[in-house]
């Protein structure tokens, strides 16, 4: 193993290890163009905040309460959608996240589903605020 590679947990891909350890997109945006959140009965939670530039997703950030698989899924969504058109971003779901990470596994697949649910809520929030921009200052979430 060279000095630049991450240790890969048993049964996990190098991409999973990279996505589970990246922190540059961790945190929520102030005055975001879109916000979404999803949680599960087990206590896992993920939030996304989005910044648009025209019809492109300029910045996709997230915050989680959960395991490394949840962090990996948040980073996967960010990587797969930043720079994409708003319309294309709707096509990213749990199967695409699972394929991108290459080793999520059945026990953690719910993390991809939660990430998808929160991301789609954030996209819906963007769409809603495009139609009704006057509502943006009255939202009740951290963005």
């Amino acid at each position: 193993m060279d000095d630049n590679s991450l240790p890969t947990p048993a049964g996990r891909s190098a991409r999973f290890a990279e996505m589970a350890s990246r922190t540059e997109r961790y945190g929520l945006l102030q005055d975001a163009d879109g916000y979404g959140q999803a949680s599960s009965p087990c206590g896992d939670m993920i939030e996304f905040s989005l910044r648009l530039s025209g019809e492109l997703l300029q910045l996709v950030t997230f915050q989680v309460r959960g395991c490394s698989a949840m962090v990996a899924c948040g980073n996967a969504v960010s990587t797969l959608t930043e720079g994409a058109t708003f319309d294309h971003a709707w096509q990213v779901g749990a199967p695409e996240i699972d394929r991108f990470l290459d080793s999520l596994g059945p026990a953690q697949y719910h993390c991809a589903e939660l990430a998808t649910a929160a991301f789609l809520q954030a996209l819906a929030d963007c769409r809603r605020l495009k139609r009704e921009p006057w509502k943006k200052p009255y939202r009740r979430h951290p963005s």
Side-chain angles (χ1 to χ4, degrees):
M1 175 161 66
D2 65 357
D3 292 344
N4 295 327
S5 64
L6 295 169
T8 305
R12 301 293 185 182
S13 69
R15 181 171 284 159
F16 178 93
E18 176 191 354
M19 293 292 115
S21 63
R22 285 177 53 189
T23 60
E24 65 269 11
R25 293 294 181 256
Y26 195 83
L28 297 176
L29 300 170
Q30 292 298 313
D31 199 33
D33 295 318
Y35 170 83
Q37 182 266 338
S39 58
S40 72
C42 71
D44 288 340
M45 184 271 303
I46 187 165
E47 301 170 275
F48 280 98
S49 58
L50 311 177
R51 173 95 12 94
L52 296 176
S53 177
E55 287 298 310
L56 296 180
L57 285 171
Q58 178 183 19
L59 188 59
V60 177
T61 66
F62 67 97
Q63 189 168 290
V64 304
R65 181 180 62 230
C67 61
S68 62
M70 187 65 74
V71 174
C73 289
N75 271 313
V77 169
S78 180
T79 300
L80 290 167
T81 61
E82 262 188 24
T85 64
F86 189 74
D87 288 338
H88 174 75
W90 287 95
Q91 306 306 311
V92 175
E96 290 77 21
I97 295 167
D98 185 38
R99 273 193 300 279
F100 181 79
L101 293 174
D102 193 33
S103 63
L104 192 54
Q108 285 80 36
Y109 192 79
H110 74 283
C111 296
E113 293 171 329
L114 282 177
T116 298
F119 181 68
L120 293 177
Q121 283 183 14
L123 289 174
D125 191 41
C126 282
R127 181 185 285 163
R128 189 172 30 260
L129 291 174
K130 280 183 171 187
R131 285 193 312 257
E132 302 172 312
W134 62 271
K135 289 186 176 183
K136 191 172 184 178
Y138 300 102
R139 295 187 298 177
R140 295 184 186 199
H141 49 74
S143 309

